[in-house]
Amino acid sequence: ELKVEQNPLFLSMQEGKNYTIYCNYSTTSDRLYWYRQDPGKSLESLFVLLSNGAVKQEGRLMASLDTKARLSTLHITAAVHDLSATYFCAVDIKGGSEKLVFGKGTKLTVNP
Amino acid sequence: KAGVTQTPRYLIKTRGQQVTLSCSPISGHRSVSWYQQTPGQGLQFLFEYFSETQRNKGNFPGRFSGRQFSNSRSEMNVSTLELGDSALYLCASSLEAGGWETQYFGPGTRLLVL
């Protein structure tokens, strides 16, 4: 059974600071997603990481994937209040019984 | 291009009732997946439909069922509602199934069971 673990689950940080969210998964997969969810809203796709060593960046967010370590990171640079949201990683196993398996999510609060 | 739409957006039901939720995928998308989101269990996969056939099913009881129509629109049904079925139900669409297509999520239907 595929397990996806995120940490931390809660993150409170000050504007301007840097931090990293970690996503570990238990079974071989070559495709990992990061989503953002604002309170009461749906999921917004941030990044799709397709292969080992993949790195994607958008604004203050950068995601990377290490398939050998079964680890993805979401790095936040110089956080701003608008980044406050819950961030989910999700893993897709081709041919698996589940379409996507999600982590529990990391609730990020950026304080002024 | 219009996004994924779900109706209704909010629903209140009582225990024992049944409910039907609807999802219209992005135009041209043929795969529709359903997820349940609760504070305790997080996001959990319910099932996936492609070309009117259920391709995958998550670990949910038989009270949860779904179907897909020839225009790719999908419905999910929950019978004999329980308090624990209160959740946000999200629908996601992608171009194909079986491949690794990015899924695009709808706004969700928030179901409250009293």
Side-chain angles (χ1 to χ4, degrees):
Chain A
E1 180 190 348
L2 172 62
K3 292 186 189 298
V4 180
E5 293 186 354
Q6 279 183 246
N7 69 83
L9 297 182
F10 298 92
L11 177 55
S12 180
M13 54 191 298
Q14 285 187 310
E15 282 190 328
K17 299 292 187 183
N18 304 332
Y19 209 83
T20 300
I21 299 170
Y22 297 89
C23 174
N24 289 89
Y25 53 98
S26 61
T27 303
T28 300
S29 172
D30 289 324
R31 191 166 176 104
L32 188 137
Y33 301 80
W34 284 96
Y35 286 91
R36 168 181 171 147
Q37 186 176 39
D38 291 292
K41 300 294 180 71
S42 187
L43 296 171
E44 174 191 355
S45 178
L46 293 174
F47 301 109
V48 181
L49 302 170
L50 299 177
S51 59
N52 187 42
V55 177
K56 295 272 186 79
Q57 182 163 5
E58 180 73 34
R60 301 174 187 273
L61 300 178
M62 183 174 70
S64 66
L65 178 62
D66 181 344
T67 58
K68 292 176 182 172
R70 299 178 185 170
L71 170 68
S72 179
T73 61
L74 180 66
H75 187 72
I76 303 152
T77 302
V80 293
H81 180 69
D82 285 351
L83 289 179
S84 297
T86 299
Y87 294 85
F88 293 91
C89 64
V91 175
D92 189 355
I93 299 177
K94 190 171 185 179
S97 61
E98 300 197 39
K99 184 66 176 177
L100 282 179
V101 178
F102 283 84
K104 292 289 189 187
T106 296
K107 184 172 182 179
L108 171 65
T109 303
V110 181
N111 302 304
Chain B
K1 190 183 265 191
V4 178
T5 58
Q6 291 186 246
T7 57
R9 294 292 311 279
Y10 304 92
L11 206 48
I12 300 176
K13 292 285 188 179
T14 56
R15 278 181 298 173
Q17 288 187 308
Q18 67 96 22
V19 67
T20 299
L21 312 180
S22 181
C23 171
S24 292
I26 291 171
S27 178
H29 284 194
R30 299 197 294 162
S31 173
V32 173
S33 299
W34 289 88
Y35 295 85
Q36 182 197 64
Q37 185 176 27
T38 60
Q41 299 299 317
L43 277 153
Q44 294 183 285
F45 171 76
L46 280 157
F47 24 65
E48 179 192 14
Y49 286 88
F50 179 77
S51 291
E52 302 177 64
T53 301
Q54 187 181 88
R55 290 184 58 89
N56 292 305
K57 189 177 193 304
N59 189 25
F60 278 82
R63 301 185 295 107
F64 292 82
S65 63
R67 59 177 175 167
Q68 186 181 34
F69 302 94
S70 58
N71 62 357
S72 295
R73 189 177 70 86
S74 177
E75 289 181 347
M76 68 163 280
N77 184 276
V78 188
S79 63
T80 319
L81 284 165
E82 300 177 359
L83 295 179
D85 296 334
S86 295
L88 178 66
Y89 290 88
L90 293 166
C91 162
S93 77
S94 57
L95 276 171
E96 300 289 337
W100 292 350
E101 303 284 344
T102 297
Q103 292 187 77
Y104 297 89
F105 283 80
T109 294
R110 190 166 294 278
L111 171 65
L112 176 62
V113 182
L114 301 176

